[in-house]
Amino acid sequence: MTIAPEQRAKRSYHDACGAARALDLVGERWSLLVVRELLLGPKRFTDLRAGLPGISPNVLSQRLEELVQIGVVHKRKLPPPVGAAVYDLTDWGRELDDVIVALNRWGSRTPNSYSCSDMSTDSLMVTLRTFFQPEQAAGVHADYDLYFTGSDSGTDEFHAVVADQTLSVSRGATGTATVAIHTTVPAFISVAFHGRPLAEALRTGDTKISGDYAAAARFIDFFELPPECTTKR
């Protein structure tokens, strides 16, 4: 898709390197985070706002318009009776999945000064996919419905499948998974990444589990953050 000359003059690095050309397209502030929020499927404008609470409506509209114009995102209308407009990644846009995961892996090694509440549920799903430890899942074949409350969009639901030492995640719960985990983003992070005992989260009510408890406890052990990067001066 052709980019308007005035837009190219404003944003281009005028560099033939593929990385520079990619940043011409998705290097604006918030652009890649909009992509991150769409990796698991389409969202309405209000759902994108809920996942990116720091962005203003005007800036989100501008970023979506730019991403649609360059062919990374497409906008479509759901059929009646819903009739709402949703945004989804194009095939080309979905190729940024590996880029988001790689940036997540690299950036997670920096000292963290943010709270768990600053992470959206879609961001958490990217984090789970990034730091899944295949060796911990050897011989495991199970699926998990994940329900996260506390977001502006209500309860966010996902379905995770572990099989053949791989993890796949999709939006929406099935209602028939081996395990159902009801929790919040901060509570899940505290257990999966910060060493909080699952039994404590259950005792305080931060987390509820139905189905195979042992499978749920094992699921928590599938993820591990990398050590922080230390810079020698």
Side-chain angles (χ1 to χ4, degrees):
M1 189 170 292
T2 303
I3 302 172
E6 64 271 18
Q7 197 174 29
R8 185 180 295 111
K10 178 182 177 182
R11 296 176 58 189
S12 180
Y13 289 102
H14 299 288
D15 189 323
C17 167
R21 288 153 59 196
L23 289 173
D24 280 348
L25 300 177
V26 295
E28 292 285 351
R29 180 171 169 82
W30 294 107
S31 292
L32 282 177
L33 296 189
V34 171
V35 171
R36 180 197 71 192
E37 292 296 305
L38 296 174
L39 287 176
L40 294 181
K43 281 189 172 186
R44 298 171 300 175
F45 186 90
T46 52
D47 296 328
L48 286 166
R49 282 290 319 279
L52 300 168
I55 196 172
S56 70
N58 287 341
V59 171
L60 178 56
S61 295
Q62 182 179 358
R63 292 296 172 267
L64 286 169
E65 182 179 346
E66 292 167 353
L67 291 169
V68 168
Q69 183 179 11
I70 64 176
V72 169
V73 169
H74 65 89
K75 181 181 179 180
R76 58 187 172 87
K77 203 166 188 177
L78 296 176
V82 180
V86 295
Y87 296 89
D88 199 1
L89 294 177
T90 63
D91 290 342
W92 191 42
R94 277 188 284 274
E95 291 180 21
L96 287 166
D97 190 329
D98 291 341
V99 175
I100 300 292
V101 168
L103 282 172
N104 191 38
R105 184 180 302 279
W106 185 80
S108 293
R109 297 193 63 203
T110 64
N112 184 15
S113 59
Y114 303 104
S115 69
C116 297
S117 59
D118 295 317
M119 181 177 284
S120 71
T121 50
D122 280 79
S123 177
L124 176 57
M125 293 305 104
V126 172
T127 298
L128 295 186
R129 291 169 52 222
T130 302
F131 298 112
F132 176 72
Q133 306 294 308
E135 64 279 3
Q136 297 295 333
V140 175
H141 289 75
D143 65 332
Y144 311 81
D145 279 342
L146 308 175
Y147 301 85
F148 294 92
T149 58
S151 71
D152 292 339
S153 58
T155 300
D156 293 330
E157 302 178 1
F158 300 90
H159 184 230
V161 177
V162 175
D164 300 321
Q165 295 184 276
T166 63
L167 169 70
S168 61
V169 181
S170 57
R171 196 184 309 283
T174 65
T176 59
T178 306
V179 183
I181 301 175
H182 297 257
T183 186
T184 64
V185 169
F188 188 91
I189 291 175
S190 69
V191 173
F193 295 115
H194 296 159
R196 182 187 184 191
L198 177 59
E200 179 185 314
L202 294 173
R203 185 170 59 251
T204 61
D206 291 340
T207 299
K208 296 179 181 179
I209 292 173
S210 58
D212 189 335
Y213 175 85
R218 191 164 56 241
F219 182 69
I220 299 299
D221 292 333
F222 292 158
F223 311 101
E224 183 179 348
L225 290 176
E228 289 185 357
C229 179
T230 56
T231 303
K232 295 183 179 179
R233 297 179 181 272

